Amino acid sequence: MLVAWDDARIALADVVVADTEVQESDGLLGYGMAIEESGHLEGQRVVVERNRRVGVTLANPGSTLDLTDAVGRETLGAPDDGAFGGAMNLWGGAQATLTRTLFDGNRGEGGVVAAGEGTVLTATDLVVRSTEGEEGEDPLVGALIAQLGARVVVSRAMLDHNRNVGVLVIAAGSTLEMADVVIRDTLGRESDGALGRGLEVTGGAQATVTRGLFDGNRDAAIFAGDAGSMLTLGDVTVRDTASQERTAEFGQGLVAQSGSRVELN
């Protein structure tokens, strides 16, 4: 496991971080990378694969991560119960910049998660695909998540064959800005086939999508719910939305309900 802690700085290139296991004493850690307490990590041409619980974790104000030409794949859950397995978690005011990054075949309640006020994720040329739920369960919320006041800015991205929801923006203060994005073929939950949405904005969150294609998703390609939620769409195409996998219900392109607001430009 690579650790940048307490204002430490790490710069690396052409590195593989793989097969980290949890501590035998308490079953914790197992991460590929951990950047906390104002640590800083800059990496080029990095692969983070088959680590435990979370591929990359980034926390606390002042902590930063800058990855270019990186792959995060096949993160495993905890060995005792299969919990977690996400590709990347940012929280507590940390900031990350990703350029030409692929997240593939990860698990957990969220594939790539930004949470908390002051937390910022900026990604350019991003691919997130084949995100599954936790091993033994199916609580996956979304492949890419902004929650609890975090900000996510994405330019040129594809989210493909993820489960439950492709992109989720939840809770007041959370914001998403996406441009030149494809969200396609989102699948329902493995347990019951429910959902399969491309984008969901709820709980008072705000999102803007410019030049987006939503193709072959299920249930609702784009969903806005709850008072205070605001979604702005410009130059967006929605096509071939299917019903839920097991119930054959719904299959709607755009849904706005419960006091949410959607603007189409």
Side-chain angles (χ1 to χ4, degrees):
M1 181 173 72
L2 284 174
V3 179
W5 180 277
D6 194 17
D7 208 33
R9 294 178 178 271
I10 297 176
L12 49 86
D14 302 306
V15 169
V16 177
V17 183
D19 302 315
T20 308
E21 289 293 336
V22 299
Q23 297 179 145
E24 292 185 4
S25 59
D26 56 13
L28 299 179
L29 301 180
Y31 314 139
M33 296 180 176
I35 304 99
E36 300 184 12
E37 301 295 342
S38 298
H40 307 275
L41 191 149
E42 181 178 349
Q44 299 181 29
R45 300 180 300 281
V46 176
V47 176
V48 181
E49 63 182 356
R50 297 188 309 275
N51 298 287
R52 287 280 183 184
R53 301 180 77 237
V54 179
V56 179
T57 182
L58 181 65
N60 310 122
S63 298
T64 64
L65 172 68
D66 191 336
L67 288 180
T68 302
D69 300 316
V71 176
R73 64 189 176 201
E74 299 174 5
T75 309
L76 303 170
D80 56 349
D81 60 5
F84 307 107
M88 177 180 288
N89 285 352
L90 294 78
W91 54 281
Q95 300 191 11
T97 301
L98 309 177
T99 305
R100 296 188 298 276
T101 306
L102 166 66
F103 295 106
D104 187 16
N106 298 286
R107 292 182 171 272
E109 294 186 15
V112 180
V113 181
E117 293 182 7
T119 303
V120 180
L121 170 62
T122 304
T124 304
D125 300 316
L126 173 70
V127 176
V128 184
R129 67 189 184 198
S130 302
T131 311
E132 297 284 342
E134 291 182 359
E135 298 172 38
E137 296 187 21
D138 197 14
L140 177 70
V141 177
L144 174 62
I145 300 174
Q147 64 181 12
L148 303 176
R151 181 186 182 206
V152 173
V153 182
V154 178
S155 299
R156 297 189 301 274
M158 181 173 70
L159 291 100
D160 184 25
H161 274 91
N162 300 292
R163 283 202 180 271
N164 199 17
V165 179
V167 179
L168 175 65
V169 193
I170 183 169
S174 303
T175 62
L176 169 74
E177 302 163 44
M178 300 189 86
D180 303 302
V181 60
V182 176
I183 302 177
R184 69 185 186 192
D185 297 330
T186 310
L187 303 170
R189 288 195 299 252
E190 190 171 5
S191 60
D192 60 8
L195 301 182
R197 294 169 178 169
L199 169 66
E200 180 172 336
V201 181
T202 189
Q206 298 188 18
T208 300
V209 180
T210 305
R211 296 183 301 279
L213 170 62
F214 295 80
D215 187 17
N217 299 288
R218 291 182 175 273
D219 181 66
I222 302 171
F223 178 91
D226 300 325
S229 298
M230 176 68 189
L231 173 59
T232 303
L233 303 172
D235 195 12
V236 167
T237 299
V238 179
R239 67 189 186 199
D240 296 335
T241 307
S243 60
Q244 294 190 16
E245 293 177 43
R246 298 189 188 175
T247 65
E249 294 179 329
F250 308 114
Q252 298 155 320
L254 171 63
V255 176
Q257 66 180 39
S258 304
S260 62
R261 181 180 176 186
V262 177
E263 290 187 1
L264 306 176
N265 298 318

